[in-house]
Amino acid sequence: MSDVTPPLFYVVSGLSGSGKSVALRTFEDLDFYCVDNLPAGMLPDFVATLTRADEPPRRLAVGIDVRNRHTDLSKVPGWLADVGAMGLDPRLVFFETGNEVLLRRFADTRRRHPLSRVGLSLADAIALERTLLRPLRSLADTVIDTSDLNVHQLRRRVITELDLAQDQSVSLLFESFAYRRGVPADADFVFDARMLPNPHWDPRLRPLSGRDADVRTWFEGQEDVGEFIAHVAQFLDHWLPRLRSDTRSYVTVAFGCSGGRHRSVYLAETLARHAREQGWRDVATWHRELD
């Protein structure tokens, strides 16, 4: 093993709502083998299993956060030392955000804080989480404050600060949203999908989203949807390359529908896949009402 370069290995941690999920998706888009919410006690065995595989991944990233057993979080330094003894150099990246920003983000997304189940108010849950994660923050090789970063800027920060760039000049974000909650403020292109057929009215499909296979199959059978995708793809293929410049580092293409669950999600995923097929390397999706 001495003649083999060990894989890159990052541990992603931080406060709930600070952008850890965006960071892990960024690692995944850069060909990292990613696992979120790994039980911390499994870390040494997990790494040992992967590195001994016939074709071990060359890039690893795992998410470890407050969803772990609280007694395990203080043991992470020892488990990382065990990983280091295997010849790897684990790097811990910690994401944090100001309290007011976290409160606003949870209010906007309407998601529950993982510690709210113990009967705490949101403010108290955030305070307790900071305390529980203190051992990981003190151990971090890199701390990234996301208070003033949007999704694009956070992705760029991860890529540049950790020196993970792969000859990328412009990053593309394909975002879905619900019109009832407003158009994303940072969208460069906005496409309205509310005139398209809506699987919401099919009781079998209503609980699903545009990421589910049954919904995708339903859309693929709709002629209007296929025509819409063809027109949008033609537009983007013509104009997106013209946005390449030293001063333009990211572009958001947003799709809106009534609920932000079916049509807009399907379109964002489909056009993101099309962009990758066209050779764009830094392409991500973000579903505001789902993520």
Side-chain angles (χ1 to χ4, degrees):
M1 181 160 179
S2 60
D3 295 331
V4 179
T5 302
L8 286 176
F9 179 43
Y10 284 93
V11 175
V12 176
S13 189
L15 300 174
S16 304
S18 64
K20 301 189 308 298
S21 296
V22 174
L24 275 173
R25 282 196 292 271
T26 301
F27 279 110
E28 192 168 32
D29 290 340
L30 295 173
D31 297 325
F32 277 74
Y33 184 102
C34 296
V35 176
D36 190 16
N37 195 21
L38 181 75
M42 295 178 60
L43 187 60
D45 289 339
F46 168 78
V47 173
T49 299
L50 287 181
T51 55
R52 291 169 186 164
D54 292 337
E55 296 184 7
R58 303 310 306 159
R59 294 179 160 208
L60 302 174
V62 299
I64 295 178
D65 54 41
V66 79
R67 290 171 292 178
N68 266 266
R69 291 188 305 177
H70 300 167
T71 53
D72 284 352
L73 293 174
S74 62
K75 301 176 183 177
V76 171
W79 287 322
L80 287 178
D82 293 339
V83 172
M86 300 177 195
L88 281 73
D89 182 16
R91 302 298 179 93
L92 196 155
V93 187
F94 191 92
F95 294 86
E96 63 181 9
T97 307
N99 287 348
E100 292 302 319
V101 177
L102 289 175
L103 290 169
R104 185 173 67 250
R105 287 179 182 174
F106 276 100
D108 288 344
T109 61
R110 302 175 187 175
R111 297 180 66 182
R112 295 184 62 188
H113 191 282
L115 295 180
S116 62
R117 65 181 182 275
V118 299
L120 297 175
S121 68
L122 178 56
D124 289 340
I126 292 172
L128 176 59
E129 184 178 29
R130 287 190 188 278
T131 300
L132 293 172
L133 293 178
R134 193 172 294 152
L136 295 187
R137 191 193 185 285
S138 64
L139 188 68
D141 298 280
T142 304
V143 177
I144 297 178
D145 189 331
T146 69
S147 299
D148 299 319
L149 303 180
N150 61 27
V151 174
H152 275 307
Q153 292 165 336
L154 174 53
R155 285 175 58 83
R156 276 286 164 183
R157 182 78 176 271
V158 169
I159 292 170
T160 56
E161 187 141 338
L162 303 181
D163 195 24
L164 301 175
Q166 296 182 333
D167 192 27
Q168 297 164 327
S169 57
V170 179
S171 62
L172 301 180
L173 177 68
F174 289 83
E175 181 174 359
S176 68
F177 69 93
Y179 269 98
R180 67 168 181 262
R181 295 191 58 220
V183 177
D186 59 349
D188 297 289
F189 298 104
V190 178
F191 295 95
D192 188 344
R194 288 175 292 183
M195 79 292 292
L196 297 178
N198 190 355
H200 171 81
W201 304 112
D202 185 331
R204 181 179 62 91
L205 301 178
R206 185 177 302 171
L208 305 179
S209 79
R211 290 186 290 203
D212 291 301
D214 287 346
V215 175
R216 294 199 305 270
T217 300
W218 188 89
F219 276 126
E220 289 166 0
Q222 304 295 320
E223 184 177 351
D224 286 352
V225 175
E227 187 177 2
F228 185 95
I229 290 172
H231 288 168
V232 173
Q234 184 179 26
F235 174 87
L236 295 177
D237 289 348
H238 180 78
W239 291 107
L240 284 181
R242 301 194 180 196
L243 296 176
R244 295 183 189 270
S245 70
D246 293 336
T247 60
R248 193 63 174 264
S249 60
Y250 51 80
V251 176
T252 298
V253 182
F255 297 89
C257 64
S258 301
R261 184 173 186 84
H262 296 106
R263 292 168 291 185
S264 59
V265 172
Y266 173 76
L267 292 171
E269 292 286 343
T270 301
L271 271 302
R273 185 167 58 252
H274 173 79
R276 295 186 186 102
E277 292 169 352
Q278 295 301 304
W280 294 89
R281 300 187 63 182
D282 187 3
V283 180
T285 57
W286 174 258
H287 304 298
R288 192 179 71 181
E289 321 308 340
L290 301 182
D291 298 335

